[in-house]
DNA sequence: CTTTTTTA
DNA sequence: TAAAAAAGG
């Protein structure tokens, strides 16, 4: 599920309101997957309509997006395109993991172990074509821009950020940094508390901003070296060396300079490492996109979500909040451009 | 996850 | 009034 570099970062935490007026490229797959994983009943059952269609992602998208708009943030959803051939191995691995977890979920229910059931159920989360299409339908009715990446969505988001078309790439993964995004936002949520997996503990979850330049300077490495560290750790495109995480990877690359020297010094076998480097450093992207939002289609949203058994009262309340926020945002935006003019 | 309801 | 618990679909 992407590289995890959290142990190497000292993230700057911000309030959502501090991101007012900023356009953010959201990793759609990452966000939807998170909703599918977390929005569940205590026994692990996802939210569903009366016909059994999963609705967890629609609930998450509606309420989270409403909050982002309320904070004056302009979301732009970036969807993954065709996966790189080197990603097939991890996709197959994930499929196997999902199938195993489905069996273990059932077992846990039989044993009456609710905690275990929830955790196993989370691991069964799968992005189906129905979930992808219903997400796109809702996002389009919300009037929010969508971008179709030629390949990896994080690569596309990074490109858009480099160009300055968006202020940051938003994802829980750090991959957009490897793809060259100047700014990454994590935990772009309203909730301040999240359960620690497997434990009865909670920790504060704050929105984090990671500036790529500052991050690399603090570690005293280049972007190319960061990619090499992650190849040692393992990415979605290669398995990595067992036992090497961020700390050891950083030390090895700093001691030897680059992956070639680490490989020859330690006799590691990392086939196709140059291809993995190219995925991140020469990623595919498209210029065929827009980041501007259009009018919200209120009736379409109500019609759609009522069909998924959402309460009309709740939908309307949320849409009212969005309307108020959109009006405020527009007047503030025109005020900002007026100020800039004079 | 986010909202709503219940509890202290 | 705020924190905890439950519900949402």
């Amino acid at each position: 599920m992407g590289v995890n570099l959290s142990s190497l970062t000292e993230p700057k935490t911000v309030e959502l309101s501090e991101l007012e007026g900023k356009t953010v490229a959201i990793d759609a797959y990452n966000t939807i997957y998170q909703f599918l994983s977390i929005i569940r009943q205590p026994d692990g059952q996802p939210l569903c309509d009366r016909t059994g269609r999963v609705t967890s992602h629609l609930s998450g998208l509606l309420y989270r997006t409403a909050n982002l708009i309320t904070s004056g943030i302009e979301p732009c959803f970036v969807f993954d395109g065709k996966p790189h051939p080197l990603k097939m191995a991890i996709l197959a691995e994930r499929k196997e993991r999902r199938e195993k977890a489905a069996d273990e979920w059932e077992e846990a229910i039989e044993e009456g172990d609710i905690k275990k059931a929830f955790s196993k159920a989370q691991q069964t989360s799968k992005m189906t074509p129905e979930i992808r299409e219903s997400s796109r339908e809702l996002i389009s009715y919300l009037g929010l821009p969508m971008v179709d990446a030629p390949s990896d969505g994080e690569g596309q988001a990074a490109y858009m950020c480099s160009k300055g078309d968006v202020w940051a790439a938003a994802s829980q993964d750090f991959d957009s940094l490897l793809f060259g995004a100047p700014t990454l936002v994590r935990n772009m949520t309203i909730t301040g508390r999240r359960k620690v997996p497997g434990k009865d503990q909670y920790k504060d979850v704050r929105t984090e901003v990671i500036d790529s330049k500052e991050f690399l300077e603090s570690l005293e490495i280049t972007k190319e070296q960061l990619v090499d560290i992650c190849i040692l750790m393992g990415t979605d495109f290669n398995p990595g060396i067992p036992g090497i995480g961020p700390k050891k990877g950083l030390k090895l690359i700093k001691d030897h300079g680059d992956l070639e020297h680490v490989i020859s010094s330690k006799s590691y076998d990392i086939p196709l490492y140059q291809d993995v480097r190219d995925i991140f450093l020469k990623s595919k992207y498209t210029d065929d996109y827009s980041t501007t939002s259009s009018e919200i289609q209120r009736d379409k949203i109500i019609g759609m979500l009522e069909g998924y058994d959402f309460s009309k009262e709740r939908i309307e309340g949320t849409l009212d909040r969005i309307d108020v926020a959109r009006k405020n945002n527009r007047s503030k935006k025109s005020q900002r451009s007026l100020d800039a003019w004079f």
Side-chain angles (χ1 to χ4, degrees):
Chain A
M1 204 65 274
V3 292
N4 185 358
L5 296 170
S6 50
S7 61
L8 297 183
T9 59
E10 293 160 31
K12 185 178 131 203
T13 67
V14 296
E15 294 302 319
L16 226 43
S17 56
E18 293 174 59
L19 307 186
E20 184 180 320
K22 297 191 186 305
T23 307
V24 174
I26 297 177
D27 178 358
Y29 178 89
N30 184 272
T31 303
I32 293 166
Y33 186 84
Q34 202 119 18
F35 291 145
L36 292 173
S37 166
I38 291 160
I39 305 181
R40 289 173 182 273
Q41 296 185 308
D43 66 354
Q45 208 61 234
L47 257 49
C48 294
D49 69 2
R50 75 188 72 197
T51 67
R53 293 181 298 178
V54 172
T55 55
S56 298
H57 58 300
L58 299 175
S59 177
L61 277 172
L62 177 70
Y63 297 122
R64 168 145 340 149
T65 306
N67 285 328
L68 295 181
I69 294 173
T70 304
S71 299
I73 296 166
E74 302 200 32
C76 171
F77 288 87
V78 181
F79 283 81
D80 284 310
K82 200 166 166 272
H84 190 280
L86 285 182
K87 201 161 179 171
M88 295 313 171
I90 201 145
L91 293 178
E93 202 176 290
R94 286 180 195 161
K95 181 166 189 279
E96 205 160 298
R97 201 178 88 125
R98 279 199 303 272
E99 284 163 1
K100 184 160 173 275
D103 292 341
E104 290 173 335
W105 178 17
E106 204 175 327
E107 279 170 29
I109 291 286
E110 281 165 18
E111 290 165 17
D113 189 340
I114 294 292
K115 292 251 166 60
K116 187 175 166 194
F118 188 91
S119 137
K120 294 299 175 187
Q122 284 190 302
Q123 296 170 27
T124 66
S125 305
K126 184 178 193 298
M127 169 83 86
T128 64
E130 293 74 22
I131 287 169
R132 184 187 154 93
E133 288 319 307
S134 52
S135 298
R136 291 178 69 102
E137 189 183 356
L138 179 57
I139 293 166
S140 76
Y141 294 156
L142 286 162
L144 299 174
M146 281 183 280
V147 178
D148 288 304
S151 186
D152 211 296
E154 303 238 56
Q156 178 67 26
Y159 170 70
M160 291 164 64
C161 188
S162 305
K163 260 183 80 182
D165 289 334
V166 300
W167 165 75
S171 178
Q172 290 307 105
D173 297 343
F174 290 85
D175 292 38
S176 56
L177 291 178
L178 306 188
F179 283 113
T183 310
L184 165 67
V185 193
R186 302 184 68 237
N187 306 331
M188 205 169 59
T189 65
I190 194 95
T191 326
R193 239 169 56 121
R194 187 176 297 170
K195 204 170 173 302
V196 180
K199 293 182 187 165
D200 272 336
Q201 284 177 5
Y202 290 85
K203 65 169 181 181
D204 270 349
V205 176
R206 310 292 305 278
T207 302
E208 301 174 354
V209 177
I210 296 156
D211 181 284
S212 174
K213 194 161 168 281
E214 286 173 18
F215 173 59
L216 295 172
E217 277 170 5
S218 74
L219 297 176
E220 298 179 302
I221 55 171
T222 64
K223 187 175 86 179
E224 288 72 18
Q225 287 180 308
L226 179 68
V227 170
D228 282 357
I229 291 168
C230 292
I231 293 173
L232 282 170
M233 290 165 52
T235 69
D236 281 354
F237 310 99
N238 76 296
I241 304 296
I244 294 192
K247 298 274 168 64
K248 284 183 187 168
L250 175 65
K251 187 170 187 328
L252 282 170
I253 292 297
K254 284 182 87 160
D255 286 351
H256 297 90
D258 61 24
L259 195 55
E260 280 83 355
H261 287 91
V262 175
I263 288 173
S264 61
S265 153
K266 299 280 179 182
S267 308
Y268 289 149
D269 180 32
I270 307 182
L272 303 177
Y273 71 86
Q274 189 55 52
D275 297 76
V276 183
R277 274 180 175 167
D278 288 346
I279 291 171
F280 292 117
L281 299 172
K282 297 176 185 171
S283 71
K284 285 194 202 163
Y285 52 81
T286 177
D287 281 301
D288 181 18
Y289 64 82
S290 156
T291 60
T292 50
S293 54
S294 49
E295 277 311 301
I296 190 163
Q297 294 180 271
R298 210 187 155 91
D299 295 341
K300 292 276 194 188
I301 295 175
I302 294 170
M304 174 184 176
L305 294 183
E306 274 194 308
Y308 282 99
D309 296 334
F310 278 62
S311 109
K312 189 172 186 183
E313 198 184 18
R314 271 195 175 200
I315 308 166
E316 289 189 315
T318 306
L319 296 181
D320 289 345
R321 280 204 299 134
I322 294 177
D323 285 341
V324 172
R326 273 267 169 94
K327 283 202 185 84
N328 281 335
N329 294 343
R330 258 200 290 275
S331 63
K332 280 185 185 167
K333 199 171 184 177
S334 59
Q335 192 58 51
R336 271 201 300 274
S337 48
L338 220 59
D339 289 346
W341 187 256
F342 289 109

